[in-house]
């Protein structure tokens, strides 16, 4: 997601009086603003995606802790909704048949044949997809294809 799109989404949530979505997006915006201030550079689309993933990870950890602690259901539902909203802004993940096809192409391009090459293949998959692929499924598929 582009930085300007994030700002536009915050404005749209404000106009729609969707306070929950607005607050969640502001959290991501604050993280991105820190990049501008601390690193003195413009925020890129990759930065916004990284911040979305980071906030999702933090929220999921909080959600897991909330479930284990047996906190009230209202908080658990709010955290679950927050994760769903944030995941809606991430780029589509490569999975299923599309992932298998991409793995085959990477294997052909890199000439990987053994399990020792798995890290190199995963790295190339990360480059080609921007990290937006099902890593567990990719590792399982690679494990079956490499000797």
């Amino acid at each position: 997601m582009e930085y300007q799109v994030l700002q536009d989404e915050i404005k749209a949530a404000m106009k729609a009086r969707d306070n929950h979505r607005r607050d969640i997006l502001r959290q991501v915006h604050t993280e991105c603003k820190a990049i501008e201030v601390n690193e003195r550079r413009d925020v890129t689309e990759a930065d916004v995606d990284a911040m979305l993933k980071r906030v999702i990870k933090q929220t999921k950890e909080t959600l897991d802790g909330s479930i284990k602690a047996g906190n009230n259901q209202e908080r658990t539902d709010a955290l679950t909704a927050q994760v769903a909203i944030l995941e809606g802004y991430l780029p589509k993940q490569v999975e299923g048949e599309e992932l298998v096809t991409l793995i085959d192409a990477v294997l052909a391009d890199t000439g990987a044949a053994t399990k020792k090459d798995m890290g190199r293949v995963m790295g190339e998959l990360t480059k080609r997809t921007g990290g937006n692929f099902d890593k567990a499924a990719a590792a399982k598929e690679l494990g079956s294809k490499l000797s």
Side-chain angles (χ1 to χ4, degrees):
M1 167 190 287
E2 292 182 25
Y3 190 53
Q4 185 59 46
V5 173
L6 175 65
Q7 293 171 330
D8 293 343
E9 286 291 326
I10 292 170
K11 288 177 190 172
M14 290 169 72
K15 287 179 182 175
R17 299 190 190 282
D18 187 350
N19 295 338
H20 190 63
R21 182 178 298 273
R22 180 203 64 205
D23 293 343
I24 293 166
L25 293 174
R26 278 186 175 168
Q27 184 179 4
V28 176
H29 183 266
T30 302
E31 297 280 337
C32 292
K33 194 71 174 169
I35 291 173
E36 279 187 326
V37 172
N38 295 338
E39 298 180 19
R40 296 187 178 124
R41 64 177 176 88
D42 291 334
V43 176
T44 65
E45 188 172 340
D47 292 330
V48 176
D49 289 344
M51 287 305 126
L52 281 168
K53 289 176 184 177
R54 185 169 151 197
V55 172
I56 288 171
K57 182 180 177 191
Q58 291 170 347
T59 305
K60 283 183 177 179
E61 288 171 356
T62 304
L63 177 61
D64 289 343
S66 178
I67 291 170
K68 288 179 184 173
N71 285 352
N72 62 5
Q73 189 62 36
E74 186 179 315
R75 176 168 166 75
T76 303
D77 292 343
L79 290 169
T80 304
Q82 183 174 346
V83 169
I85 289 169
L86 288 169
E87 286 178 340
Y89 288 107
L90 282 178
K92 181 184 168 286
Q93 276 204 326
V94 178
E95 53 192 10
E97 286 300 316
E98 188 179 359
L99 179 62
V100 172
T101 304
L102 183 61
I103 288 171
D104 290 339
V106 170
L107 287 174
D109 292 347
T110 60
T114 66
K115 292 202 187 256
K116 289 181 181 180
D117 299 324
M118 194 165 183
R120 186 169 46 120
V121 173
M122 291 294 278
E124 184 63 27
L125 282 171
T126 301
K127 276 187 200 173
R128 291 188 185 189
T129 63
N132 294 319
F133 66 99
D134 186 352
K135 289 158 187 68
K140 183 177 177 185
E141 183 70 25
L142 277 173
S144 68
K145 291 186 183 236
L146 298 175
S147 55

